[in-house]
Amino acid sequence: MGKLFSAKNKEVFSTPLGLNNPVTVQVLGICSALAVTSKLEPAIVMGLSVTIITAFANVVISLLRKTVPNRIRIIVQLVVVAALVTIVSELLKAFAYDVSVQLSVYVGLIITNCILMGRLEAFAMANGPWESCLDGIGNGLGYAKILVIVAFFRELLGSGTLLGINILNHQWLKDLGYVNNGMMLMPPMALIICACLIWYQRARYKELQEK
């Protein structure tokens, strides 16, 4: 049990949540951060979907890594990811259809997510199943964290709601002159928020600051 939760494994899990976040440090998965963050609910679902797929794909590839010929490893990785994406997509259609419609083609495009393919190639192909699972969960949650933060500000300031619940659309706020900022719902604002998060990340961690 101690080995499963060793300091090294804890670092594998926690580093993507902060110091080496896949979005704000590695600058991966930016496209979906712009596309699915106008509302909080689809951002949460997208983040969880990527987390689940990355974790399971990492485990499967880790188990197969010694039996897959090097020349076809990318094909095998794509097949595993495509199967997992299909399963998640069908589950969303069955149990969260409205969210599935909002996410549109972006669930299917998880197969091209740089974070997912990068972790399979850089980590799962060289480490055991447990470490790979932790790495997948950590990177998935690191990605999800950024999506949720971006979506929080975009929906709150753009629509005045959170998860569809009215927060700022009250008459007394309107009487004070408050108006929802429609620009927050446009993709460029997601990029600006991501840029602010990248700035914060580099300001917080001295290791990321250029000498």
Side-chain angles (χ1 to χ4, degrees), residues 39-42 44 155 161-167:
K39 291 185 178 180
L40 190 55
E41 185 178 18
I44 293 173
E155 182 177 356
T161 61
L162 284 176
L163 296 174
I165 300 173
N166 180 31
I167 303 296

Side-chain angles (χ1 to χ4, degrees), residues 1 19 30 42 46 50 53 57 79 81 84-85 90 98-100 117 138 148 166 171 181-182 187-188 190 209-210:
M1 183 64 69
L19 181 60
I30 290 290
M46 184 68 169
V50 170
I53 292 172
V79 170
V81 173
L84 291 171
V85 168
E90 292 304 312
D98 291 341
V99 178
S100 177
M117 298 306 298
V148 168
N166 180 31
Q171 188 59 47
N181 187 348
Q209 298 176 9
E210 297 179 3

Side-chain angles (χ1 to χ4, degrees), residues 37-117:
T37 54
S38 59
K39 291 185 178 180
L40 190 55
E41 185 178 18
I44 293 173
V45 173
M46 184 68 169
L48 292 177
S49 298
V50 170
T51 301
I52 293 170
I53 292 172
T54 305
F56 276 97
N58 265 15
V59 171
V60 173
I61 294 302
S62 177
L63 291 171
L64 297 175
R65 71 187 190 282
K66 295 182 179 179
T67 61
V68 176
N70 189 58
R71 65 181 182 277
I72 64 168
R73 71 186 190 284
I74 300 298
I75 297 175
V76 174
Q77 291 172 14
L78 288 173
V79 170
V80 170
V81 173
L84 291 171
V85 168
T86 301
I87 293 171
V88 169
S89 178
E90 292 304 312
L91 288 174
L92 286 177
K93 290 177 182 178
F95 299 104
Y97 182 76
D98 291 341
V99 178
S100 177
V101 171
Q102 292 180 56
L103 290 173
S104 184
V105 299
Y106 295 105
V107 173
L109 289 175
I110 291 176
I111 191 173
T112 65
N113 193 301
C114 304
I115 299 170
L116 179 56
M117 298 306 298

